[in-house]
């Protein structure tokens, strides 16, 4: 499983990319929190050369969505257009996929939505774990089921586990077969940390210094 850093904080993005994270994704709530302007943010992150960068298209009409996608792709034609799951969003996916444009579908909560988005032509789906758990649905089981369907049917769509609230979600998403996980920087830091690793490194460093004497 590979990683998307899920934030609009440029410093966190820079640090995550320096650590080898594959992609960058965010959402309108994050842009608002960080006080960033959407297109300026895209240009700045694009200049950091992430392997994958997603960008939202959220407009009330299909024409406006297409215009927004064109504006994003003018920054870099490899940017993945990120669409909220909806009937209008599916129409956009259907159009863009036929043009060879990469698309991600977010706000996926069950296998029906996942398979419908796959059929429309999406390249990535973002099933939400934590938000499903909050309403009494097993988010990890949903991810497991979606990954199983994709594997059994040999679909090209990649699964990006989203709404990850803790490192347990992260571990279980990897076991379930998710291709990527979209994580906050704080969760990514926790995933890297283990006390035995810290203790072992300190011991090795002490012994190394003794060898150099």
């Amino acid at each position: 499983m590979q990683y998307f850093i899920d934030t609009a904080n440029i410093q966190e993005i820079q640090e995550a990319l320096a650590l080898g994270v594959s992609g960058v994704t965010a959402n309108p709530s994050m842009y608002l929190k960080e006080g960033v302007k959407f297109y300026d943010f895209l240009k700045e992150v694009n200049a950091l050369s992430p392997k994958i960068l997603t960008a939202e298209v959220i407009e009330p009409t299909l024409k406006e969505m297409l215009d927004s996608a064109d504006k994003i792709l003018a920054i870099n034609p490899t940017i993945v257009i990120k669409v909220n799951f909806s009937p209008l969003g599916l129409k956009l996916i259907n159009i863009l996929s036929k043009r060879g444009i990469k698309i991600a579908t977010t706000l996926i909560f069950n296998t029906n939505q996942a398979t419908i988005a796959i059929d429309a032509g999406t390249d990535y789906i973002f099933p939400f774990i934590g938000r499903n758990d909050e309403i009494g649905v097993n988010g990890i089981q949903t991810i497991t089921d979606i990954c199983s369907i994709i594997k059994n049917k040999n679909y090209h769509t990649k699964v990006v586990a989203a709404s990850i609230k803790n490192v347990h979600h992260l571990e279980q998403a990897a076991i379930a077969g998710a291709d990527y996980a979209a994580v906050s920087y704080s969760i990514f830091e926790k995933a890297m940390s283990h006390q035995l690793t810290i203790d072992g490194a300190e011991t090795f460093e002490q012994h190394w210094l003794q060898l150099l004497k």
Side-chain angles (χ1 to χ4, degrees), residues 62-71 92 95-96 99:
L62 185 58
K63 183 182 182 305
E64 288 173 297
M65 294 176 88
L66 287 166
D67 289 343
S68 180
D70 287 340
K71 191 172 179 179
L92 181 70
I95 292 169
L96 295 183
R99 296 181 184 176

Side-chain angles (χ1 to χ4, degrees), residues 15 17-18 54-56 58 62 65 82 84 93 108 124 127 154 173 178 192 203 212:
E15 184 64 18
L17 292 177
T54 74
E56 283 76 16
I58 306 176
L62 185 58
M65 294 176 88
K82 192 176 180 184
N84 292 338
I93 294 166
I108 296 289
Y124 301 86
N154 199 29
M192 287 190 289
T203 299
L212 296 178

